[in-house]
Amino acid sequence: MLSIALAGKPNAGKSTFYKAATMADVDVGNYPFTTIDANRGVSHVRTDCPCLALDERCGDEHCHDGKRYVPVELIDVAGLVPGAHEGRGLGNQFLDELTNADVILNVVDASGGTNEEGEPVEIGEHDPVEDVDFVEREMDLWLASIVDRNWESVERASRSPDFDIDEALTEMLAGVGATELDVARTLRGMDYPEDPIAWTDDHRETLASDVRRRTKPIAVVANKADIAPDDNVERLRDAAEVVVPATADGELALRKAADAGVIDYDPGDPDFDVVGDISDQQREGLDRIREVMHQWGDTGVQQALDTAVYDLLDHFTAYPVQNDTNWTDGQGNVLPDAFLLPQGSTPTDLAYAVHSDIGDGYIHAVDARKEMRISDSEELEEGSVIKIVSDAN
């Protein structure tokens, strides 16, 4: 399961975002370090289900009338403050929790209503653009500290006649999710001494920063956009490559109302319908949320998750089936499974995603949409429905 981590300073709304995205019972408070120990739960990314091409919807529990929700892990960790890479605040704990995350959502208080320490101030008093830069910087310095602590081992290895710096750095950085390709691409873009002993702090920081960008891409969630000064969101968009305006409070309110049967709403919808009895005060609150949704397209919570997986990580959704005519498994369930795979993945990759035994026993694959056998090297795409023929079936 892909892992998305929520980063950011205290009191920016990470725990509210987490609760809205998972509906888990977590503490939410207007004070720094509401979260002490990391919360881990399951959220979902949303895509169009292939059942839209069928006469009837598939009926899977993760499909809401053709809106398919695919599970991902969501991690909410302690807030980050300046100097976290040196252990300030709960910095070491925060940064270590990010080690296994595939992608980061930097939740920023777009309203400017909390200072750099996460303490409440007047709306607009703090510049949220500063919160974009410092989170990236703290993560880069954290990774640079890991490189520094382990550099002596690289220097020792360099004395061997068969020393390969790509291999040495890949081994050192594997723990933070770096692959051999990540390291190779980083080194090809750097000017560095052949002898690791001659590397400077600047070389190691450049290495760490580039590896972090490759292994921990970041999207900014401009949270509290509903109460932000008019130009704050646009300034955030100018400051970062990927910015999603959001109201985590609004999303949480909608999900609670939907669970209570008061509204008809699915996460990521651009609007909702009131279907139950509500008070005038509740209607006013829902109307305010609707105004924000009309301004930004939705509440931003689902959009942020989707952006992280489908855009930053460049993944797509594929659906393995046993019956390529009816798109079912062995028990007759229509489209029971959905897998998130990186772009460029093939039927063989899907087979291994299902189970290592299925991959080891792979024979061939059938594209159920095209009703034809496909090459083992054919690249799958969003919404592919594939029958895997394996001697392990």
Side-chain angles (χ1 to χ4, degrees), residues 43-79:
S43 188
H44 300 81
V45 291
R46 170 175 162 166
T47 188
D48 290 335
C49 186
C51 72
L52 290 169
L54 303 175
D55 292 336
E56 297 181 3
R57 303 291 75 82
C58 66
D60 186 272
E61 62 175 329
H62 291 132
C63 178
H64 300 174
D65 195 26
K67 307 165 192 174
R68 187 72 177 226
Y69 292 90
V70 187
V72 293
E73 182 185 37
L74 190 62
I75 308 172
D76 171 32
V77 299

XYZ file of all heavy atoms in Angstrom, residues 43-79:
284
model
N -6.763 5.740 4.150
C -7.604 6.659 3.391
C -7.721 6.093 1.982
O -7.373 4.935 1.750
C -6.995 8.064 3.393
O -7.895 8.990 2.808
N -8.201 6.904 1.050
C -8.413 6.405 -0.306
C -8.164 7.503 -1.333
O -8.397 8.680 -1.062
C -9.844 5.882 -0.486
C -10.203 4.757 0.435
N -10.592 4.974 1.740
C -10.202 3.408 0.242
C -10.828 3.806 2.320
N -10.614 2.843 1.435
N -7.690 7.077 -2.493
C -7.672 7.968 -3.647
C -8.853 7.596 -4.531
O -9.362 6.469 -4.484
C -6.350 7.861 -4.439
C -5.207 8.432 -3.619
C -6.039 6.428 -4.858
N -9.309 8.566 -5.306
C -10.543 8.386 -6.082
C -10.243 8.383 -7.569
O -9.459 9.192 -8.075
C -11.523 9.508 -5.742
C -12.737 9.581 -6.638
C -13.719 10.631 -6.154
N -14.666 11.008 -7.213
C -15.782 11.693 -7.011
N -16.119 12.082 -5.795
N -16.574 12.007 -8.027
N -10.892 7.473 -8.282
C -10.765 7.414 -9.732
C -12.077 6.881 -10.307
O -12.977 6.470 -9.562
C -9.579 6.510 -10.138
O -9.346 6.610 -11.553
C -9.822 5.056 -9.756
N -12.195 6.884 -11.624
C -13.384 6.327 -12.270
C -13.259 4.810 -12.322
O -12.242 4.275 -12.768
C -13.536 6.869 -13.693
C -13.922 8.337 -13.724
O -14.512 8.814 -12.739
O -13.616 9.008 -14.724
N -14.282 4.118 -11.866
C -14.276 2.658 -11.883
C -14.584 2.146 -13.290
O -15.453 2.701 -13.981
C -15.315 2.120 -10.899
S -15.279 0.312 -10.720
N -13.902 1.075 -13.739
C -14.205 0.510 -15.063
C -15.639 0.026 -15.195
O -16.128 -0.158 -16.315
C -13.219 -0.667 -15.167
C -12.087 -0.300 -14.267
C -12.726 0.432 -13.122
N -16.336 -0.156 -14.074
C -17.717 -0.642 -14.164
C -18.624 0.356 -14.876
O -19.743 0.010 -15.263
C -18.268 -0.967 -12.782
S -18.643 0.469 -11.743
N -18.156 1.589 -15.057
C -18.939 2.560 -15.816
C -19.141 2.110 -17.262
O -20.047 2.591 -17.949
C -18.243 3.927 -15.782
C -18.246 4.639 -14.423
C -17.302 5.838 -14.442
C -19.662 5.081 -14.063
N -18.280 1.179 -17.727
C -18.421 0.641 -19.085
C -19.372 -0.554 -19.125
O -19.681 -1.067 -20.210
C -17.051 0.222 -19.632
N -19.841 -0.997 -17.962
C -20.759 -2.132 -17.891
C -22.202 -1.641 -17.790
O -22.465 -0.467 -17.538
C -20.413 -2.999 -16.670
C -18.987 -3.546 -16.600
C -18.766 -4.287 -15.279
C -18.706 -4.467 -17.789
N -23.128 -2.558 -17.958
C -24.541 -2.194 -17.875
C -24.935 -1.829 -16.451
O -25.841 -1.016 -16.231
C -25.414 -3.349 -18.375
C -25.261 -3.579 -19.874
O -24.882 -2.616 -20.571
O -25.499 -4.719 -20.324
N -24.283 -2.455 -15.466
C -24.575 -2.178 -14.074
C -23.292 -1.877 -13.328
O -22.208 -2.321 -13.720
C -25.287 -3.379 -13.421
C -26.639 -3.710 -14.036
C -27.292 -4.884 -13.329
O -26.707 -5.383 -12.344
O -28.377 -5.301 -13.769
N -23.419 -1.098 -12.216
C -22.249 -0.803 -11.387
C -21.791 -2.082 -10.690
O -22.572 -3.004 -10.456
C -22.570 0.271 -10.362
C -23.088 1.594 -10.947
C -21.998 2.350 -11.713
N -21.708 1.779 -13.006
C -22.412 2.002 -14.110
N -23.472 2.786 -14.075
N -22.062 1.436 -15.250
N -20.523 -2.115 -10.325
C -19.925 -3.359 -9.844
C -20.398 -3.749 -8.447
O -20.336 -4.919 -8.079
C -18.403 -3.267 -9.866
S -17.684 -2.066 -8.735
N -20.800 -2.787 -7.626
C -21.275 -3.137 -6.302
C -20.182 -3.365 -5.291
O -20.459 -3.738 -4.144
N -18.926 -3.135 -5.653
C -17.831 -3.281 -4.693
C -17.975 -2.234 -3.594
O -18.442 -1.116 -3.830
C -16.485 -3.101 -5.412
C -15.306 -3.383 -4.504
O -14.859 -2.437 -3.826
O -14.822 -4.531 -4.468
N -17.556 -2.599 -2.379
C -17.716 -1.675 -1.253
C -16.933 -0.383 -1.446
O -17.245 0.648 -0.838
C -17.263 -2.344 0.051
C -15.781 -2.738 0.068
C -15.357 -3.271 1.418
O -15.937 -2.821 2.416
O -14.446 -4.114 1.461
N -15.904 -0.409 -2.283
C -15.104 0.784 -2.537
C -15.540 1.523 -3.799
O -14.845 2.430 -4.260
C -13.618 0.422 -2.636
C -13.031 0.001 -1.331
N -12.250 -1.137 -1.195
C -13.124 0.544 -0.095
C -11.886 -1.265 0.068
N -12.405 -0.252 0.754
N -16.662 1.122 -4.371
C -17.190 1.791 -5.562
C -18.541 2.405 -5.229
O -19.465 1.704 -4.815
C -17.336 0.803 -6.717
S -18.027 1.531 -8.221
N -18.631 3.725 -5.372
C -19.883 4.427 -5.124
C -20.438 4.914 -6.463
O -20.074 5.985 -6.937
C -19.667 5.621 -4.187
C -19.116 5.246 -2.854
N -18.749 6.177 -1.916
C -18.861 4.029 -2.287
C -18.288 5.558 -0.843
N -18.347 4.252 -1.057
N -21.248 4.073 -7.090
C -21.869 4.438 -8.363
C -20.826 4.875 -9.390
O -20.976 5.891 -10.066
C -22.904 5.533 -8.163
C -23.821 5.689 -9.374
O -23.995 4.695 -10.116
O -24.332 6.795 -9.596
N -19.770 4.098 -9.496
C -18.733 4.373 -10.496
C -17.582 5.213 -9.986
O -16.609 5.441 -10.710
N -17.647 5.696 -8.749
C -16.526 6.408 -8.138
C -15.731 5.389 -7.329
O -16.205 4.896 -6.300
C -17.021 7.532 -7.226
C -18.000 8.492 -7.881
C -18.715 9.332 -6.821
C -19.894 10.080 -7.395
N -20.676 10.794 -6.353
N -14.566 5.062 -7.797
C -13.762 4.009 -7.161
C -12.776 4.616 -6.172
O -12.035 5.544 -6.493
C -13.013 3.197 -8.217
C -12.282 1.972 -7.675
C -13.252 0.880 -7.274
N -12.580 -0.317 -6.813
C -12.904 -1.544 -7.200
N -13.876 -1.726 -8.064
N -12.261 -2.594 -6.724
N -12.762 4.066 -4.963
C -11.854 4.524 -3.918
C -10.833 3.425 -3.622
O -11.204 2.316 -3.236
C -12.641 4.902 -2.661
C -13.503 6.126 -2.876
C -14.814 6.001 -3.343
C -13.004 7.396 -2.661
C -15.604 7.124 -3.566
C -13.783 8.527 -2.882
C -15.077 8.382 -3.333
O -15.853 9.500 -3.563
N -9.555 3.758 -3.843
C -8.471 2.785 -3.728
C -7.677 3.078 -2.458
O -7.233 4.217 -2.248
C -7.548 2.844 -4.958
C -6.523 1.718 -4.923
C -8.368 2.778 -6.250
N -7.473 2.079 -1.590
C -6.836 2.328 -0.289
C -5.376 2.786 -0.404
O -4.609 2.308 -1.237
C -6.916 0.968 0.413
C -7.990 0.214 -0.298
C -7.922 0.679 -1.727
N -5.017 3.724 0.473
C -3.633 4.159 0.672
C -3.433 4.359 2.172
O -4.399 4.573 2.917
C -3.312 5.481 -0.061
C -3.349 5.292 -1.571
C -4.263 6.590 0.364
N -2.189 4.273 2.615
C -1.893 4.558 4.022
C -1.714 6.057 4.199
O -1.081 6.720 3.373
C -0.622 3.838 4.466
C -0.302 4.071 5.941
C 1.013 3.464 6.389
O 1.975 3.494 5.583
O 1.094 2.971 7.528
N -2.261 6.590 5.295
C -2.088 7.995 5.619
C -1.468 8.105 7.003
O -1.928 7.456 7.955
C -3.436 8.720 5.588
C -3.382 10.247 5.671
C -2.629 10.833 4.482
C -4.796 10.838 5.735
N -0.400 8.910 7.106
C 0.329 9.078 8.361
C 0.251 10.537 8.791
O 0.571 11.438 8.019
C 1.817 8.679 8.202
C 1.949 7.284 7.598
C 2.531 8.744 9.545
C 3.387 6.913 7.247
N -0.170 10.748 10.023
C -0.200 12.089 10.613
C 0.817 12.101 11.750
O 0.669 11.362 12.726
C -1.608 12.394 11.139
C -1.665 13.678 11.951
O -0.897 14.605 11.647
O -2.480 13.739 12.893
N 1.845 12.916 11.628
C 2.917 12.907 12.620
C 2.986 14.247 13.350
O 2.320 15.213 12.986
C 4.285 12.602 11.963
C 4.279 11.241 11.311
C 4.641 13.672 10.935
N 3.829 14.294 14.376
C 3.960 15.508 15.180
C 4.398 16.687 14.318
O 5.125 16.527 13.341
C 4.969 15.275 16.300
N 3.977 17.883 14.711
C 4.280 19.086 13.940
C 5.761 19.396 13.891
O 6.533 19.061 14.796
